[in-house]
Amino acid sequence: MRNHFIFADSTKCVGCLSCELACAAAYAGISFEEAYTTKLPLISRNRVVKIDGKTAPLQCMHCESPSCLALCPHGVIEKMDDFIKIHEEACVGCSCCSLVCPYGAITMRQQEERRVAVKCNLCFNRVEGPACIRVCTTSAISVVDYDEYTKLMAQKG
């Protein structure tokens, strides 16, 4: 089975940051609406970037042969079904994974009294699927696998 990842169409993204807020809310265990008023610390596993006038969320590409998994000296990164997962609860914060990620999709965040590597885990524990996709008003983001991605890129020409 090919790995799945979030595909962002920069021609549709308007940079509203709703995907970031939805991601952070999902990981905090609250609704998207509650995220606007909560006092909880919200940490998104994606971030919207702007390059050459185009915006799109930057997220883990769930590589077929991930360098983060190969280099993690503590074994807290795992290939699960069709995505790559960081077991944040076991992360010791060494930053090796974030240094080798070719997409810059792994960030180190302070959680309580320690640093932890965080990245998109495709909302693996959510029956509804990735929270970011659900709130995207322009349908700029979707889940694809590498075969679908290749077809989409060929259509763009």
Side-chain angles (χ1 to χ4, degrees):
M1 178 181 287
R2 305 295 304 264
N3 282 358
H4 285 82
F5 58 95
I6 301 290
F7 172 73
D9 184 343
S10 63
T11 64
K12 293 180 179 178
C13 180
V14 295
C16 70
L17 308 181
S18 290
C19 57
E20 283 187 17
L21 188 60
C23 175
Y27 276 90
I30 61 175
S31 72
F32 179 68
E33 294 74 22
E34 289 173 298
Y36 286 101
T37 58
T38 188
K39 301 273 190 247
L40 292 172
L42 296 176
I43 299 171
S44 179
R45 270 71 177 165
N46 66 4
R47 69 183 180 280
V48 174
V49 296
K50 185 173 187 172
I51 299 171
D52 294 332
K54 295 182 179 185
T55 57
L58 172 66
Q59 296 171 209
C60 176
M61 296 296 288
H62 299 276
C63 303
E64 291 287 316
S65 299
S67 53
C68 61
L69 185 145
L71 261 53
C72 178
H74 304 284
V76 301
I77 302 175
E78 169 184 17
K79 181 170 176 32
M80 297 182 73
D81 297 327
D82 57 354
F83 70 97
I84 307 303
K85 180 182 187 319
I86 293 179
H87 293 278
E88 294 175 16
E89 69 283 355
C91 179
V92 299
C94 69
S95 302
C96 289
C97 57
S98 77
L99 293 172
V100 300
C101 177
Y103 301 101
I106 301 174
T107 57
M108 302 305 296
R109 299 286 170 86
Q110 193 69 30
Q111 288 187 358
E112 295 168 14
E113 297 175 13
R114 63 192 184 97
R115 285 174 37 95
V116 175
V118 298
K119 70 166 199 68
C120 170
N121 284 331
L122 288 178
C123 290
F124 74 96
N125 57 349
R126 289 175 46 87
V127 175
E128 312 90 346
C132 59
I133 292 172
R134 227 180 76 255
V135 301
C136 183
T137 59
T138 61
S139 301
I141 48 183
S142 58
V143 175
V144 298
D145 67 18
Y146 283 94
D147 295 330
E148 293 169 284
Y149 176 72
T150 302
K151 288 176 190 169
L152 286 168
M153 292 299 98
Q155 289 171 359
K156 283 188 169 190

